[in-house]
PDB file of all heavy atoms in Angstrom:
ATOM      1  N   ALA A  48       4.671   3.409   5.904  1.00 98.00           N
ATOM      2  CA  ALA A  48       3.535   4.139   5.320  1.00 98.00           C
ATOM      3  C   ALA A  48       3.478   4.056   3.806  1.00 98.00           C
ATOM      4  O   ALA A  48       2.395   3.916   3.223  1.00 98.00           O
ATOM      5  CB  ALA A  48       3.573   5.603   5.766  1.00 98.00           C
ATOM      6  N   GLY A  49       4.599   4.159   3.140  1.00 98.00           N
ATOM      7  CA  GLY A  49       4.601   4.087   1.675  1.00 98.00           C
ATOM      8  C   GLY A  49       4.057   2.759   1.181  1.00 98.00           C
ATOM      9  O   GLY A  49       3.287   2.697   0.222  1.00 98.00           O
ATOM     10  N   GLN A  51       2.038   0.812   2.904  1.00 98.00           N
ATOM     11  CA  GLN A  51       0.616   0.773   3.252  1.00 98.00           C
ATOM     12  C   GLN A  51      -0.209   1.464   2.173  1.00 98.00           C
ATOM     13  O   GLN A  51      -1.260   0.955   1.771  1.00 98.00           O
ATOM     14  CB  GLN A  51       0.398   1.424   4.612  1.00 98.00           C
ATOM     15  CG  GLN A  51       0.999   0.624   5.742  1.00 98.00           C
ATOM     16  CD  GLN A  51       1.068   1.375   7.045  1.00 98.00           C
ATOM     17  OE1 GLN A  51       1.037   2.603   7.086  1.00 98.00           O
ATOM     18  NE2 GLN A  51       1.185   0.636   8.145  1.00 98.00           N
ATOM     19  N   TYR A  52       0.273   2.610   1.703  1.00 98.00           N
ATOM     20  CA  TYR A  52      -0.451   3.318   0.647  1.00 98.00           C
ATOM     21  C   TYR A  52      -0.468   2.497  -0.643  1.00 98.00           C
ATOM     22  O   TYR A  52      -1.518   2.348  -1.275  1.00 98.00           O
ATOM     23  CB  TYR A  52       0.164   4.695   0.388  1.00 98.00           C
ATOM     24  CG  TYR A  52      -0.482   5.380  -0.774  1.00 98.00           C
ATOM     25  CD1 TYR A  52      -1.782   5.855  -0.681  1.00 98.00           C
ATOM     26  CD2 TYR A  52       0.179   5.512  -1.985  1.00 98.00           C
ATOM     27  CE1 TYR A  52      -2.413   6.447  -1.760  1.00 98.00           C
ATOM     28  CE2 TYR A  52      -0.438   6.105  -3.073  1.00 98.00           C
ATOM     29  CZ  TYR A  52      -1.733   6.580  -2.955  1.00 98.00           C
ATOM     30  OH  TYR A  52      -2.354   7.153  -4.028  1.00 98.00           O
ATOM     31  N   ARG A  73      -8.612   0.560   5.278  1.00 98.00           N
ATOM     32  CA  ARG A  73      -7.804   0.255   6.471  1.00 98.00           C
ATOM     33  C   ARG A  73      -6.343   0.621   6.233  1.00 98.00           C
ATOM     34  O   ARG A  73      -5.706   1.287   7.063  1.00 98.00           O
ATOM     35  CB  ARG A  73      -7.927  -1.227   6.828  1.00 98.00           C
ATOM     36  CG  ARG A  73      -7.187  -1.621   8.095  1.00 98.00           C
ATOM     37  CD  ARG A  73      -7.439  -3.082   8.451  1.00 98.00           C
ATOM     38  NE  ARG A  73      -6.594  -3.983   7.691  1.00 98.00           N
ATOM     39  CZ  ARG A  73      -5.330  -4.257   8.024  1.00 98.00           C
ATOM     40  NH1 ARG A  73      -4.772  -3.693   9.077  1.00 98.00           N
ATOM     41  NH2 ARG A  73      -4.629  -5.112   7.301  1.00 98.00           N
ATOM     42  N   TRP A  74      -5.791   0.215   5.079  1.00 98.00           N
ATOM     43  CA  TRP A  74      -4.403   0.546   4.768  1.00 98.00           C
ATOM     44  C   TRP A  74      -4.233   2.046   4.546  1.00 98.00           C
ATOM     45  O   TRP A  74      -3.217   2.628   4.948  1.00 98.00           O
ATOM     46  CB  TRP A  74      -3.909  -0.251   3.566  1.00 98.00           C
ATOM     47  CG  TRP A  74      -3.707  -1.704   3.887  1.00 98.00           C
ATOM     48  CD1 TRP A  74      -4.432  -2.754   3.405  1.00 98.00           C
ATOM     49  CD2 TRP A  74      -2.740  -2.268   4.779  1.00 98.00           C
ATOM     50  NE1 TRP A  74      -3.966  -3.929   3.949  1.00 98.00           N
ATOM     51  CE2 TRP A  74      -2.929  -3.665   4.789  1.00 98.00           C
ATOM     52  CE3 TRP A  74      -1.729  -1.718   5.572  1.00 98.00           C
ATOM     53  CZ2 TRP A  74      -2.141  -4.513   5.562  1.00 98.00           C
ATOM     54  CZ3 TRP A  74      -0.940  -2.564   6.343  1.00 98.00           C
ATOM     55  CH2 TRP A  74      -1.152  -3.945   6.329  1.00 98.00           C
ATOM     56  N   LEU A  75      -5.220   2.674   3.923  1.00 97.00           N
ATOM     57  CA  LEU A  75      -5.153   4.130   3.743  1.00 97.00           C
ATOM     58  C   LEU A  75      -5.110   4.847   5.079  1.00 97.00           C
ATOM     59  O   LEU A  75      -4.352   5.803   5.270  1.00 97.00           O
ATOM     60  CB  LEU A  75      -6.362   4.625   2.936  1.00 97.00           C
ATOM     61  CG  LEU A  75      -6.317   4.404   1.441  1.00 97.00           C
ATOM     62  CD1 LEU A  75      -7.669   4.728   0.828  1.00 97.00           C
ATOM     63  CD2 LEU A  75      -5.213   5.237   0.800  1.00 97.00           C
ATOM     64  N   ARG A  76      -5.941   4.415   6.020  1.00 97.00           N
ATOM     65  CA  ARG A  76      -5.983   5.041   7.349  1.00 97.00           C
ATOM     66  C   ARG A  76      -4.618   4.940   8.029  1.00 97.00           C
ATOM     67  O   ARG A  76      -4.119   5.902   8.610  1.00 97.00           O
ATOM     68  CB  ARG A  76      -7.065   4.389   8.213  1.00 97.00           C
ATOM     69  CG  ARG A  76      -7.034   4.772   9.686  1.00 97.00           C
ATOM     70  CD  ARG A  76      -7.156   6.246   9.964  1.00 97.00           C
ATOM     71  NE  ARG A  76      -8.469   6.732   9.607  1.00 97.00           N
ATOM     72  CZ  ARG A  76      -8.768   8.016   9.466  1.00 97.00           C
ATOM     73  NH1 ARG A  76      -7.857   8.947   9.651  1.00 97.00           N
ATOM     74  NH2 ARG A  76      -9.965   8.394   9.137  1.00 97.00           N
ATOM     75  N   LEU A  77      -4.006   3.768   7.947  1.00 98.00           N
ATOM     76  CA  LEU A  77      -2.694   3.591   8.574  1.00 98.00           C
ATOM     77  C   LEU A  77      -1.653   4.517   7.948  1.00 98.00           C
ATOM     78  O   LEU A  77      -0.858   5.134   8.662  1.00 98.00           O
ATOM     79  CB  LEU A  77      -2.262   2.126   8.471  1.00 98.00           C
ATOM     80  CG  LEU A  77      -3.071   1.150   9.320  1.00 98.00           C
ATOM     81  CD1 LEU A  77      -2.725  -0.293   8.946  1.00 98.00           C
ATOM     82  CD2 LEU A  77      -2.825   1.394  10.798  1.00 98.00           C
ATOM     83  N   ALA A  78      -1.654   4.633   6.635  1.00 98.00           N
ATOM     84  CA  ALA A  78      -0.703   5.514   5.945  1.00 98.00           C
ATOM     85  C   ALA A  78      -1.034   6.977   6.211  1.00 98.00           C
ATOM     86  O   ALA A  78      -0.141   7.798   6.444  1.00 98.00           O
ATOM     87  CB  ALA A  78      -0.704   5.225   4.451  1.00 98.00           C
ATOM     88  N   ALA A  79      -2.315   7.321   6.195  1.00 97.00           N
ATOM     89  CA  ALA A  79      -2.732   8.711   6.432  1.00 97.00           C
ATOM     90  C   ALA A  79      -2.376   9.144   7.849  1.00 97.00           C
ATOM     91  O   ALA A  79      -1.944  10.285   8.048  1.00 97.00           O
ATOM     92  CB  ALA A  79      -4.233   8.855   6.190  1.00 97.00           C
ATOM     93  N   ASP A  80      -2.517   8.259   8.807  1.00 97.00           N
ATOM     94  CA  ASP A  80      -2.177   8.589  10.195  1.00 97.00           C
ATOM     95  C   ASP A  80      -0.694   8.909  10.362  1.00 97.00           C
ATOM     96  O   ASP A  80      -0.301   9.539  11.336  1.00 97.00           O
ATOM     97  CB  ASP A  80      -2.579   7.457  11.139  1.00 97.00           C
ATOM     98  CG  ASP A  80      -4.086   7.394  11.377  1.00 97.00           C
ATOM     99  OD1 ASP A  80      -4.796   8.349  11.005  1.00 97.00           O
ATOM    100  OD2 ASP A  80      -4.541   6.378  11.933  1.00 97.00           O
ATOM    101  N   GLN A  81       0.110   8.486   9.397  1.00 97.00           N
ATOM    102  CA  GLN A  81       1.544   8.789   9.421  1.00 97.00           C
ATOM    103  C   GLN A  81       1.875  10.009   8.551  1.00 97.00           C
ATOM    104  O   GLN A  81       3.034  10.350   8.380  1.00 97.00           O
ATOM    105  CB  GLN A  81       2.354   7.583   8.960  1.00 97.00           C
ATOM    106  CG  GLN A  81       2.248   6.408   9.914  1.00 97.00           C
ATOM    107  CD  GLN A  81       3.115   5.265   9.471  1.00 97.00           C
ATOM    108  OE1 GLN A  81       4.332   5.371   9.467  1.00 97.00           O
ATOM    109  NE2 GLN A  81       2.483   4.170   9.067  1.00 97.00           N
ATOM    110  N   GLY A  82       0.825  10.629   7.984  1.00 96.00           N
ATOM    111  CA  GLY A  82       1.026  11.864   7.236  1.00 96.00           C
ATOM    112  C   GLY A  82       1.267  11.705   5.748  1.00 96.00           C
ATOM    113  O   GLY A  82       1.659  12.670   5.086  1.00 96.00           O
ATOM    114  N   THR A  83       1.018  10.531   5.188  1.00 97.00           N
ATOM    115  CA  THR A  83       1.182  10.338   3.747  1.00 97.00           C
ATOM    116  C   THR A  83       0.085  11.110   3.025  1.00 97.00           C
ATOM    117  O   THR A  83      -1.099  10.783   3.132  1.00 97.00           O
ATOM    118  CB  THR A  83       1.122   8.836   3.392  1.00 97.00           C
ATOM    119  OG1 THR A  83       2.119   8.153   4.151  1.00 97.00           O
ATOM    120  CG2 THR A  83       1.342   8.609   1.906  1.00 97.00           C
ATOM    121  N   VAL A  84       0.483  12.145   2.302  1.00 97.00           N
ATOM    122  CA  VAL A  84      -0.463  13.084   1.699  1.00 97.00           C
ATOM    123  C   VAL A  84      -1.422  12.382   0.739  1.00 97.00           C
ATOM    124  O   VAL A  84      -2.638  12.611   0.796  1.00 97.00           O
ATOM    125  CB  VAL A  84       0.288  14.232   0.989  1.00 97.00           C
ATOM    126  CG1 VAL A  84      -0.676  15.135   0.235  1.00 97.00           C
ATOM    127  CG2 VAL A  84       1.097  15.031   2.000  1.00 97.00           C
ATOM    128  N   ALA A  86      -2.375   9.352   0.715  1.00 97.00           N
ATOM    129  CA  ALA A  86      -3.295   8.520   1.497  1.00 97.00           C
ATOM    130  C   ALA A  86      -4.382   9.376   2.133  1.00 97.00           C
ATOM    131  O   ALA A  86      -5.558   8.992   2.150  1.00 97.00           O
ATOM    132  CB  ALA A  86      -2.539   7.737   2.556  1.00 97.00           C
ATOM    133  N   CYS A  87      -3.999  10.543   2.649  1.00 96.00           N
ATOM    134  CA  CYS A  87      -4.986  11.458   3.242  1.00 96.00           C
ATOM    135  C   CYS A  87      -6.022  11.876   2.208  1.00 96.00           C
ATOM    136  O   CYS A  87      -7.229  11.869   2.482  1.00 96.00           O
ATOM    137  CB  CYS A  87      -4.296  12.702   3.810  1.00 96.00           C
ATOM    138  SG  CYS A  87      -3.233  12.384   5.217  1.00 96.00           S
TER     139      CYS A  87
END
Side-chain angles (χ1 to χ4, degrees):
Q51 292 167 339
Y52 175 70
R73 183 176 81 82
W74 289 112
L75 282 170
R76 169 58 67 195
L77 291 170
D80 285 348
Q81 294 183 66
T83 304
V84 174
C87 293

